[in-house]
Amino acid sequence: MNDLPVVEAIRRKAASLPLPDGWRIVRAPGRVNLIGEHTDYNGLPVMPMALDRAIYAAFRALDEPVVRLVNTDESLPPREFGISQFIEPYAPGDWGNYAKAAVQALASHHSSAQRGFEAVVGGDIPGGAGLSSSSAMVVAMALAFAEVNDLDVRRATLADLLAEGERYVGTQGGGMDQTICLLAEAGTALQIEFLPTRIFPHKLPAGTSVVIANSLVKAEKSADARANYNLRPAECRMACAVLSKALQRSIANLAEFLELFGPDGALSNAFEILGLAPWPAQRLAREMDMSIDILQRTLLTQRDGSALEEPPSGFALGRRVRHVLTEAVRVREAAQALDSSDAAEAGRLMGQSHVSCRDDYQISCPELDALVDILEESGALGARLTGAGFGGCAVALARSSQLSEILKQVSERYYSGWLKRNRPDIFERLPARVEQYLFASASVDGATISAM
Ligand code: GLA
């Protein structure tokens, strides 16, 4: 990693600071999720791998309870804040909030951790692309803070703690991103099961490559996409409330529902009780024997107290549940496909996952749909949107022998073709180097700390 341009930039910046010695460097990789989208916060499995792109932070201990950060990206201003169990956030979208999220999460569990650090941060994960640059930043900051305070925290425990801690920036995500960043194993896709968190690595089939293509529609986790994203966990909670009432038993989450009835039983119960038509808030209140006011103060209120807007067509509860249940089954089938080196089957399941994300979970957009079609038409075994959705990247599994042809076709047909024709505004801002938006990535190990 030491010869990467980004690490070189960090080293130069660190060397220009007073007292240039004593630095260590943390590498926290981005991730791409191969299959299992929006399942994690329902307690159901995902299957990501860590990317050979990462957030890097050179850091060293300070004797005061303060965190001081500079970024190699000159557009991101230096940040400095005090360590405490309740740290006031910067404005939404500020890069410093990810450091604050990490430090607050650890400080509130380890009140003796009072040593601060200074860090020079950089990275080569495209931002707002669904590749978890934000969680990588959280993990990098947490590992630096744990290291300077000699905290001995198991990685699985840290992953759970940071999944909760990252809610500080306002998203109601699950535990996938932090877990893969900390526990990834090179050459594998990691099946992560939740409640409690368990990991099962599956070797990627020999002779295959994982292709990542950015639709270039921005999906910033801490900005606008947040409201869209947060609506989905809320709809899953509403669905569980309606199912609990109809079945006269408590269903805490969709994992429990799937466990109780099995895939076929859960799907048919969901269909019968929820149907496929959207639920306006009025109907939801009636069904739950609640006034609209109580509904708004309970099911339609987010954990931070803010209200959820009802979409014009109502809440598509039945479709959301169908996606989550079928997606969980697909993840487990994909794990079997990988174990028997059946790359074609894994690709087929990825394609099905995209259709479900597009039609039932409704987290795609025309750009991602076009990109997925083009990846598949160019010879990929299967392609799908990856990450939170509403923009960001598509991921594809491909035979390595086809890789260069696929990259060439996608470059011509999506970027210089579809995007240029349909989204000239985005095409105008096409990054300078193709590797910034279209590339294949190895699957690498989780985060590491080493000497500079
Ligand atoms: C975001 C969240 C994850 C997960 C994905 C969707 O990346 O941080 O926890 O929910 O979206 O699968």
Side-chain angles (χ1 to χ4, degrees):
M1 99 179 167
N2 281 352
D3 53 355
L4 287 171
V6 47
V7 174
E8 192 38 51
I10 289 174
R11 197 181 291 118
R12 265 200 315 276
K13 196 138 193 162
S16 72
L17 296 174
L19 299 173
D21 302 325
W23 297 92
R24 310 198 72 198
I25 189 159
V26 52
R27 173 192 63 88
R31 63 102 184 93
V32 67
N33 189 20
L34 298 185
I35 193 161
E37 223 59 85
H38 288 259
T39 42
D40 58 354
Y41 52 77
N42 288 296
L44 289 164
V46 294
M47 190 130 69
M49 67 175 216
L51 297 175
D52 54 13
R53 304 191 171 207
I55 295 286
Y56 302 88
F59 68 96
R60 65 177 170 179
L62 292 174
D63 283 326
E64 5 157 25
V66 161
V67 174
R68 236 175 252 143
L69 307 171
V70 291
N71 202 299
T72 53
D73 178 345
E74 302 286 339
S75 70
L76 300 175
R79 288 290 177 238
E80 175 169 337
F81 61 87
I83 295 166
S84 83
Q85 303 189 8
F86 302 97
I87 307 175
E88 188 67 29
Y90 296 115
D94 193 293
W95 75 286
N97 279 338
Y98 297 106
K100 287 187 165 182
V103 171
Q104 176 173 293
L106 274 168
S108 52
H109 284 77
H110 301 269
S111 51
S112 63
Q114 284 297 317
R115 290 195 90 188
F117 64 90
E118 64 180 326
V120 181
V121 182
D124 56 4
I125 312 170
L131 302 177
S132 259
S133 58
S134 45
S135 297
M137 173 71 185
V138 172
V139 167
M141 296 294 98
L143 287 176
F145 185 64
E147 178 87 359
V148 299
N149 283 288
D150 286 326
L151 299 179
D152 185 18
V153 194
R154 278 182 57 241
R155 288 210 164 192
T157 313
L158 185 59
D160 288 345
L161 201 146
L162 295 180
E164 183 63 37
E166 198 175 317
R167 298 197 167 140
Y168 180 91
V169 301
T171 36
Q172 307 291 309
M176 162 166 67
D177 307 341
Q178 303 78 7
T179 307
I180 187 69
C181 185
L182 283 158
L183 294 169
E185 293 183 24
T188 73
L190 201 65
Q191 178 187 355
I192 308 173
E193 297 276 342
F194 297 97
L195 306 174
T197 306
R198 283 149 297 148
I199 57 166
F200 304 93
H202 301 277
K203 275 215 168 70
L204 291 167
T208 59
S209 297
V210 173
V211 180
I212 290 138
N214 193 342
S215 70
L216 296 175
V217 175
K218 281 262 180 199
E220 300 281 5
K221 217 186 205 176
S222 54
D224 283 356
R226 183 169 73 176
N228 278 331
Y229 177 91
N230 285 347
L231 188 54
R232 296 299 182 269
E235 286 174 320
C236 294
R237 285 196 302 275
M238 289 175 214
C240 286
V242 177
L243 291 170
S244 299
K245 178 116 195 312
L247 295 164
Q248 297 189 332
R249 61 191 305 167
S250 136
I251 292 166
N253 51 50
L254 292 175
E256 195 174 304
F257 182 54
L258 182 59
E259 180 75 28
L260 266 175
F261 294 100
D264 294 342
L267 276 171
S268 64
N269 267 312
F271 183 69
E272 218 168 277
I273 297 166
L274 302 169
L276 289 182
W279 287 60
Q282 288 288 357
R283 177 176 173 211
L284 198 57
R286 226 179 17 252
E287 189 72 18
M288 300 299 298
D289 291 330
M290 282 176 179
S291 67
I292 231 357
D293 188 48
I294 302 268
L295 180 86
Q296 251 142 11
R297 279 191 279 125
T298 52
L299 287 176
L300 303 190
T301 298
Q302 306 192 65
R303 294 156 63 106
D304 66 1
S306 60
L308 273 170
E309 291 249 344
E310 180 183 352
S313 57
F315 303 101
L317 303 186
R319 288 187 179 276
R320 304 299 184 252
V321 171
R322 184 165 69 178
H323 165 74
V324 173
L325 297 176
T326 57
E327 186 77 349
V329 171
R330 279 187 291 272
V331 173
R332 292 175 180 149
E333 287 175 356
Q336 286 172 4
L338 292 183
D339 289 346
S340 44
S341 278
D342 190 346
E345 174 64 4
R348 193 185 65 79
L349 290 162
M350 288 168 72
Q352 282 187 352
S353 164
H354 182 75
V355 172
S356 180
C357 286
R358 182 190 68 198
D359 298 346
D360 276 351
Y361 225 58
Q362 297 177 303
I363 52 170
S364 191
C365 58
E367 295 79 0
L368 277 169
D369 292 339
L371 185 52
V372 163
D373 286 350
I374 291 171
L375 278 158
E376 289 187 339
E377 288 160 17
S378 307
L381 297 166
R384 55 185 294 280
L385 67 82
T386 185
F390 307 104
C393 288
V395 60
L397 187 67
R399 303 227 183 268
S400 302
S401 55
Q402 306 249 52
L403 180 61
S404 55
E405 180 59 22
I406 291 174
L407 295 178
K408 178 167 164 275
Q409 288 215 24
V410 172
S411 172
E412 286 168 13
R413 294 187 49 199
Y414 180 71
Y415 299 100
S416 315
W418 195 97
L419 195 69
K420 189 171 177 190
R421 272 196 314 279
N422 296 288
R423 292 298 308 266
D425 54 321
I426 298 183
F427 181 75
E428 256 174 34
R429 289 180 277 111
L430 196 70
R433 288 176 299 116
V434 64
E435 314 80 70
Q436 291 170 285
Y437 56 87
L438 175 64
F439 56 93
S441 173
S443 149
V444 307
D445 280 328
T448 46
I449 296 184
S450 54
M452 270 277 270

